[in-house]
């Protein structure tokens, strides 16, 4: 099932944590180099993917994350250095825009542990900021990366803990109660690290994806060397996601126009390669409600929702 975002190039896609059929896609005009951006709210139905709402912003939108305590609220990351908080029940525009970063915001993530409702923003100004979505100023700024920060992702298990990835080749782990210094600095790859995600079944495992075209798994208790490496993409790995239904399964999207599904416990870990785009595949996500279902989005203006053969429930 597919949906076209005309003259908008897909950067990120995320399923709703509340409704199995709902997903959001953050897009940019002119490949994100110039122009505006749009946030699409889409519904995946048996007969196809249909648009529910579309929100426009005056700069490109590079990432999107759903609220974990309000089914109508989403946050986007923008090229103008701001994050936007949208309420789909108020279709006029964002309910607020928070601008403190001095360069593009490339990643946003809403905390997953129920005791706290915070948002992270990762920026090309080499910083990560922590926000209370109900406030008007950031709570903390995390400095340490020596290059662009591409992503900042909350641990699904450990309160106050997140990981960040950067053009400085490192993955860092932070505790929000001590913003002055990262808990762990890991030279994860020999090139820029574009993405990371936490294993949903093991508090200590993080997966990273890099411009060097590899995906690596790390145990943060023993970070001296990776616990696995996945080779197969031909170009940069733009996004990695850990599967919510099996411990050892990972999905990735790449500049090689493909999506791959992996099982890192297998001697031949690449389970499937999906090639249905004609441009960089920037966004990828697993549906938390529907085992096996995934979504991706590409610079070719298409969002696709499907179940890879290797994840089809038997």
């Amino acid at each position: 099932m597919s949906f076209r975002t005309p003259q908008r190039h897909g950067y990120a896609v995320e399923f709703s944590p509340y409704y199995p059929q709902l997903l959001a896609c953050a897009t940019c005009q002119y490949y994100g180099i110039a122009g505006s951006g749009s946030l699409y709210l889409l519904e995946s139905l048996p007969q196809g993917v249909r648009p529910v709402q579309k929100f426009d912003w005056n700069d490109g939108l590079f990432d999107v994350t759903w609220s974990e305590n309000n089914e109508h609220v989403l946050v986007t990351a923008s090229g103008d250095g701001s994050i936007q908080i949208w309420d789909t029940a108020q279709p006029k525009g964002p309910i607020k825009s928070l601008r403190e970063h001095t360069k593009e915001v490339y990643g946003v993530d809403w905390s997953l542990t129920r005791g706290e409702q915070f948002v992270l923003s990762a920026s090309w100004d080499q910083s990560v900021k922590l926000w209370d979505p109900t406030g008007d100023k950031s709570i903390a700024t995390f400095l340490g990366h020596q290059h662009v920060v591409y992503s900042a992702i909350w641990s699904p298990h450990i309160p106050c803990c997140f990981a960040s990835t950067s053009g400085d080749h490192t993955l860092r782990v932070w505790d929000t109660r001590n913003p002055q210094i990262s808990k762990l600095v890991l030279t994860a790859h020999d090139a820029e690290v574009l993405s990371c995600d936490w294993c949903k079944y093991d508090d200590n495992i993080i997966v990273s994806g890099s411009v060097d075209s590899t995906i690596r798994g790390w145990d943060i208790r023993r970070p001296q060397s990776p616990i696995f490496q996945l080779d197969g993409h031909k170009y940069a790995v733009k996004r990695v996601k850990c599967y919510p239904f099996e411990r050892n399964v990972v999905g990735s999207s790449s500049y090689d126009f493909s999506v791959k599904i992996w099982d890192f416990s297998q001697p031949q870990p690449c389970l499937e390669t999906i090639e249905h785009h004609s441009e960089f595949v920037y966004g990828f996500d697993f549906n938390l409600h529907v085992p096996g279902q995934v979504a991706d989005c590409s610079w070719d203006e298409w969002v696709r929702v499907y179940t890879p053969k290797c994840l089809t429930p038997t």
Side-chain angles (χ1 to χ4, degrees):
M1 296 188 292
S2 303
F3 177 80
R4 187 161 178 239
T5 57
Q7 300 179 335
R8 293 291 185 273
H9 306 286
Y11 262 76
V13 64
E14 296 284 322
F15 282 103
S16 165
Y18 292 95
Y19 299 110
Q21 75 279 13
L22 269 189
L23 61 157
C25 181
T27 68
C28 298
Q29 203 175 14
Y30 305 122
Y31 303 97
I33 298 162
S36 57
S38 299
L39 172 64
Y40 289 85
L41 194 64
L42 305 172
E43 189 172 25
S44 174
L45 301 168
Q47 57 269 38
V49 180
R50 71 170 192 95
V52 178
Q53 281 174 284
K54 176 175 173 257
F55 299 97
D56 294 318
W57 187 246
N58 56 15
D59 211 312
L61 298 178
F62 293 140
D63 199 14
V64 60
T65 184
W66 288 85
S67 164
E68 293 287 336
N69 71 342
N70 185 326
E71 66 208 61
H72 300 293
V73 172
L74 304 99
V75 179
T76 50
S78 175
D80 62 8
S82 67
I83 65 170
Q84 298 72 42
I85 301 176
W86 309 84
D87 186 337
T88 60
Q90 300 180 31
K92 295 290 184 203
I95 51 177
K96 69 172 71 170
S97 173
L98 301 170
R99 186 170 183 174
E100 290 186 19
H101 287 292
T102 56
K103 291 186 178 175
E104 291 90 335
V105 182
Y106 215 63
V108 283
D109 197 36
W110 194 294
S111 54
L112 297 173
T113 46
R114 287 286 178 263
E116 48 192 19
Q117 298 297 329
F118 295 122
V119 172
L120 294 168
S121 58
S123 171
W124 289 9
D125 67 9
Q126 303 185 11
S127 77
V128 176
K129 286 183 181 284
L130 176 70
W131 308 83
D132 178 342
T134 63
D136 295 317
K137 292 181 186 171
S138 64
I139 299 168
T141 301
F142 302 83
L143 299 171
H145 281 298
Q146 304 299 307
H147 201 278
V148 168
V149 186
Y150 288 111
S151 69
I153 304 294
W154 289 105
S155 164
H157 302 291
I158 309 165
C160 307
C161 178
F162 71 90
S164 60
T165 65
S166 169
D168 65 10
H169 304 188
T170 70
L171 181 151
R172 290 172 183 251
V173 177
W174 307 80
D175 185 326
T176 58
R177 294 162 296 194
N178 184 15
Q180 288 74 32
I181 188 164
S182 48
K183 285 170 58 178
L184 175 65
V185 182
L186 184 61
T187 301
H189 294 265
D190 297 325
E192 296 188 78
V193 190
L194 301 182
S195 179
C196 70
D197 198 21
W198 296 78
C199 178
K200 308 299 183 281
Y201 292 88
D202 189 322
D203 299 3
N204 299 298
I205 293 179
I206 306 179
V207 180
S208 60
S210 170
V211 168
D212 67 11
S213 78
T214 69
I215 297 160
R216 289 178 175 173
W218 305 91
D219 185 327
I220 59 175
R221 296 165 301 183
R222 295 180 293 278
Q224 294 79 13
S225 58
I227 54 174
F228 63 82
Q229 177 169 313
L230 305 175
D231 299 299
H233 279 298
K234 299 181 184 74
Y235 297 108
V237 177
K238 180 64 178 75
R239 206 170 287 259
V240 289
K241 289 282 178 82
C242 294
Y243 190 41
F245 298 100
E246 285 183 51
R247 179 187 184 275
N248 301 325
V249 174
V250 173
S252 59
S253 63
S254 169
Y255 284 68
D256 66 11
F257 305 178
S258 80
V259 163
K260 288 181 183 286
I261 309 296
W262 314 80
D263 182 336
F264 60 77
S265 68
Q266 297 296 323
Q268 298 295 322
C270 185
L271 302 178
E272 190 171 341
T273 300
I274 299 102
E275 296 178 295
H276 55 198
H277 286 290
S278 58
E279 258 292 357
F280 300 156
V281 188
Y282 259 43
F284 177 82
D285 197 26
F286 290 109
N287 193 327
L288 295 169
H289 303 276
V290 182
Q293 190 177 72
V294 305
D296 62 38
C297 67
S298 167
W299 277 17
D300 64 9
E301 305 180 1
W302 286 98
V303 179
R304 303 200 190 276
V305 181
Y306 56 100
T307 301
K309 294 185 188 72
C310 66
L311 297 180
T312 302
T314 51

